[in-house]
Amino acid sequence: LTSKYQLSFAELAGPRNIEWFVSHYWGIPFRDFVHSISSHAQYWSRSSVGNAEFQEDFWKSRAYWVCAFANNQWRLDEEIGDGWETSAFYL
């Protein structure tokens, strides 16, 4: 998806109002990561509106900032910089 323009997935997908920051660890299977995020989104969606008003697909609209998708994997040297102080991880 990103190779044609060498963008990050976040740049390709477009801007969103972010609710949660997540740093993905590549040492676990990606499907486990997706399951964890899905479970988290469903839990917080249900708890924010209550079980009675919960709409089945509402959790899918939750927005997460995931470093692996936000960082341009085609240009990691530019994204990370010379050290963590110049990276996207430094506030």
Side-chain angles (χ1 to χ4, degrees):
L1 292 173
T2 63
S3 63
K4 182 176 180 180
Y5 299 106
Q6 295 193 342
L7 300 172
S8 70
F9 182 76
E11 291 171 306
L12 186 66
R16 296 282 308 265
N17 289 325
I18 303 302
E19 298 177 77
W20 304 95
F21 170 87
V22 179
S23 186
H24 173 254
Y25 169 60
W26 288 106
I28 64 167
F30 188 69
R31 70 179 167 275
D32 292 350
F33 172 75
V34 171
H35 177 74
S36 295
I37 296 300
S38 298
S39 296
H40 182 266
Q42 290 176 49
Y43 172 81
W44 282 105
S45 295
R46 191 174 308 277
S47 67
S48 67
V49 297
N51 284 334
E53 298 87 26
F54 180 70
Q55 296 175 353
E56 192 60 39
D57 289 336
F58 178 67
W59 68 272
K60 294 178 182 177
S61 67
R62 299 298 208 176
Y64 291 76
W65 188 94
V66 180
C67 61
F69 300 141
N71 291 330
N72 187 333
Q73 301 296 318
W74 299 99
R75 296 185 173 94
L76 276 180
D77 289 342
E78 295 171 27
E79 292 286 311
I80 303 300
D82 294 328
W84 68 273
E85 295 94 348
T86 60
S87 74
F89 296 99
Y90 187 73
L91 299 176

